[in-house]
Amino acid sequence: FIRGMSSVSSNFSTYDNVIIYNSDTLGLTIGGFSFSNEHNTTVTNSRSGNIEGSTNQEDGISVSGGGNFTITNNNFSSNTRYGISLGTSDNNIITNNTITSEGASTYGIYNNQADNNLYSNNTITTSGASSRGVYSSTSDNTNFTNTIITATGDSSQGMEIYSGGAPQIIGGTVNSTAERLNISDSGDVVVKDVILIGTTLNDTYLTVNTNAIFTNVSYSTEYVAADSSVLTRNWYLDVNVTNVNGVVQ
């Protein structure tokens, strides 16, 4: 159990069952939290990242290998690479975090070859050109629920899902300068109750071998690769039935 960490090393390797609570590494030379091959670890009510304006390539929190992490109620700010990075790490819960990433090609959440991860109620802001609020690649059963994304840099996308099996995007708001949802080479995609906001390019961009079902998702423009992708759109229907003198109206 580590509480109030502010100046010791934030790099952990092969330690299981670690709990980090109320710790702060923001702006220190050690950068953010970094874990390798750990399991059953909790990071909560903590803060990490770079000092605003720093050019060091740092993540807010990086998890490589291992799994069964709980990352909740943290602030990962001014990150110059990834706010939260999961690589080959499965069965994690990431919830109620505030993520700020700045600089070109930065990502709020980076999920790579990491399966069965649940992201919920996270707020992401990116400001650099060609950034991504969320990038998930080669990962199965990844769930993003009530994610709030604002990507303001030139050519910045809200969410990019590549080569995903059964990803789910439920609720939340995506506001970006480029595509709000860019999904490719992914099957059994579920998108439900999501608000897409933006002024340029396509709200929805589906390419190469993608099968997606959208339910109650409103948007203005889309691109769907007609030769290899399928987009099914569903809407809720409210029906009021009144019984007057035995007659249904």
Side-chain angles (χ1 to χ4, degrees):
F1 181 90
I2 300 174
R3 178 175 180 176
M5 179 177 69
S6 61
S7 60
V8 299
S9 174
S10 61
N11 295 309
F12 300 87
S13 179
T14 65
Y15 291 98
D16 292 339
N17 305 306
V18 174
I19 299 176
I20 297 176
Y21 171 77
N22 196 29
S23 297
D24 190 348
T25 70
L26 182 66
L28 300 176
T29 57
I30 57 177
F33 300 106
S34 179
F35 299 88
S36 178
N37 297 314
E38 283 84 28
H39 299 81
N40 305 316
T41 294
T42 298
V43 180
T44 183
N45 294 98
S46 297
R47 186 173 70 151
S48 74
N50 284 6
I51 296 175
E52 185 173 357
S54 171
T55 59
N56 293 331
Q57 290 279 309
E58 297 289 355
D59 303 333
I61 183 169
S62 175
V63 180
S64 177
N68 294 304
F69 274 63
T70 298
I71 302 171
T72 182
N73 296 322
N74 301 289
N75 189 326
F76 303 119
S77 62
S78 299
N79 306 289
T80 51
R81 196 169 67 151
Y82 310 135
I84 296 176
S85 174
L86 299 185
T88 62
S89 180
D90 304 334
N91 304 310
N92 301 293
I93 298 174
I94 299 93
T95 183
N96 294 323
N97 299 287
T98 300
I99 303 162
T100 304
S101 293
E102 61 182 24
S105 302
T106 58
Y107 299 159
I109 289 174
Y110 180 80
N111 189 91
N112 183 44
Q113 300 182 52
D115 301 333
N116 305 315
N117 291 320
L118 172 62
Y119 297 86
S120 66
N121 300 308
N122 297 294
T123 299
I124 301 167
T125 303
T126 67
S127 58
S130 301
S131 63
R132 304 286 188 273
V134 168
Y135 179 80
S136 181
S137 173
T138 323
S139 302
D140 293 335
N141 301 315
T142 303
N143 183 296
F144 298 93
T145 298
N146 295 328
T147 307
I148 307 299
I149 297 174
T150 304
T152 60
D154 292 340
S155 302
S156 292
Q157 298 182 10
M159 303 184 73
E160 181 175 357
I161 309 294
Y162 171 72
S163 190
Q168 295 190 5
I169 304 170
I170 310 296
T173 301
V174 181
N175 187 345
S176 61
T177 59
E179 288 83 3
R180 265 55 76 192
L181 299 179
N182 182 353
I183 307 172
S184 61
D185 198 24
S186 299
D188 300 319
V189 181
V190 173
V191 181
K192 181 178 178 182
D193 300 331
V194 179
I195 298 172
L196 304 179
I197 303 172
T199 57
T200 61
L201 297 180
N202 298 289
D203 294 303
T204 300
Y205 193 77
L206 270 60
T207 63
V208 61
N209 302 324
T210 294
N211 184 356
I213 297 176
F214 283 24
T215 301
N216 196 39
V217 180
S218 297
Y219 54 88
S220 299
T221 60
E222 68 178 31
Y223 173 87
V224 179
D227 58 339
S228 62
S229 294
V230 176
L231 173 58
T232 302
R233 305 171 195 83
N234 298 326
W235 300 95
Y236 298 131
L237 174 64
D238 290 330
V239 178
N240 294 319
V241 178
T242 302
N243 190 332
V244 179
N245 298 325
V247 178
V248 177
Q249 298 182 341

